[in-house]
Coordinates of all heavy atoms in Angstrom, one line a residue:
N221 N -14.0 27.6 14.3 CA -14.6 28.6 15.2 C -14.4 30.0 14.7 O -15.2 30.9 14.9 CB -14.2 28.4 16.6 CG -14.7 27.2 17.3 OD1 -15.7 26.7 16.8 ND2 -14.1 26.7 18.3
K222 N -13.4 30.2 13.9 CA -13.3 31.5 13.2 C -14.4 31.7 12.2 O -15.0 32.8 12.1 CB -11.9 31.6 12.4 CG -10.7 31.8 13.3 CD -9.4 31.8 12.5 CE -8.2 31.9 13.4 NZ -6.9 31.9 12.6
Y223 N -14.7 30.6 11.5 CA -15.9 30.7 10.5 C -17.2 31.0 11.3 O -18.0 31.8 10.9 CB -16.0 29.4 9.8 CG -15.1 29.3 8.6 CD1 -13.8 29.0 8.7 CD2 -15.7 29.4 7.3 CE1 -13.0 28.8 7.5 CE2 -14.9 29.3 6.1 CZ -13.6 29.0 6.3 OH -12.8 28.9 5.1
I224 N -17.3 30.3 12.4 CA -18.6 30.5 13.2 C -18.7 31.9 13.7 O -19.7 32.6 13.6 CB -18.6 29.4 14.3 CG1 -18.9 28.0 13.7 CG2 -19.7 29.8 15.3 CD1 -18.8 26.9 14.8
E225 N -17.6 32.4 14.3 CA -17.6 33.7 14.9 C -17.8 34.8 13.8 O -18.6 35.7 14.0 CB -16.3 34.0 15.6 CG -16.1 35.3 16.3 CD -17.0 35.5 17.5 OE1 -17.5 34.4 18.0 OE2 -17.1 36.6 18.0
F226 N -17.2 34.6 12.7 CA -17.3 35.6 11.6 C -18.8 35.6 11.1 O -19.4 36.7 10.9 CB -16.4 35.3 10.5 CG -16.2 36.4 9.4 CD1 -15.2 37.3 9.6 CD2 -17.1 36.4 8.3 CE1 -15.1 38.3 8.6 CE2 -16.9 37.4 7.4 CZ -16.0 38.4 7.5
A227 N -19.3 34.4 10.9 CA -20.7 34.3 10.4 C -21.7 34.9 11.4 O -22.6 35.7 11.0 CB -21.1 32.9 10.2
V228 N -21.5 34.7 12.7 CA -22.4 35.3 13.7 C -22.3 36.8 13.6 O -23.3 37.5 13.7 CB -22.1 34.7 15.1 CG1 -22.8 35.5 16.2 CG2 -22.4 33.3 15.2
N229 N -21.1 37.3 13.5 CA -20.9 38.8 13.4 C -21.7 39.3 12.2 O -22.3 40.4 12.3 CB -19.5 39.1 13.4 CG -18.8 39.0 14.7 OD1 -19.4 39.0 15.8 ND2 -17.5 38.8 14.7
Q230 N -21.6 38.6 11.1 CA -22.3 39.1 9.9 C -23.8 39.1 10.1 O -24.5 40.0 9.6 CB -21.9 38.1 8.7 CG -20.5 38.3 8.2 CD -20.3 39.5 7.3 OE1 -21.1 39.8 6.4 NE2 -19.3 40.3 7.7
A231 N -24.3 38.1 10.7 CA -25.7 38.0 10.9 C -26.3 39.0 11.9 O -27.4 39.4 11.8 CB -26.1 36.6 11.4
M232 N -25.4 39.3 12.9 CA -25.9 40.3 13.9 C -25.8 41.7 13.5 O -26.6 42.6 13.9 CB -25.1 40.0 15.2 CG -25.4 38.6 15.8 SD -27.1 38.3 16.3 CE -27.6 37.3 14.9
S233 N -24.7 42.1 12.8 CA -24.4 43.5 12.6 C -23.9 43.8 11.2 O -23.5 44.9 10.9 CB -23.5 44.0 13.6 OG -22.2 43.3 13.6
G234 N -23.8 42.8 10.3 CA -23.3 43.0 9.0 C -24.3 43.6 8.0 O -25.5 43.7 8.4
T235 N -23.9 43.8 6.8 CA -24.7 44.4 5.8 C -25.9 43.5 5.5 O -27.0 44.0 5.2 CB -23.9 44.6 4.5 OG1 -22.8 45.4 4.8 CG2 -24.8 45.3 3.4
G236 N -25.8 42.2 5.6 CA -26.9 41.3 5.2 C -27.7 40.9 6.4 O -28.5 39.9 6.3
A237 N -27.5 41.5 7.6 CA -28.2 41.1 8.8 C -29.7 41.1 8.7 O -30.4 40.2 9.1 CB -27.8 42.0 10.0
V238 N -30.3 42.2 8.1 CA -31.7 42.3 8.0 C -32.3 41.2 7.1 O -33.3 40.5 7.4 CB -32.1 43.7 7.5 CG1 -33.6 43.7 7.2 CG2 -31.7 44.7 8.5

Side-chain angles (χ1 to χ4, degrees):
N221 288 338
K222 286 179 183 178
Y223 275 78
I224 290 173
E225 182 71 12
F226 192 91
V228 171
N229 287 338
Q230 288 285 307
M232 296 299 101
S233 58
T235 304
V238 173

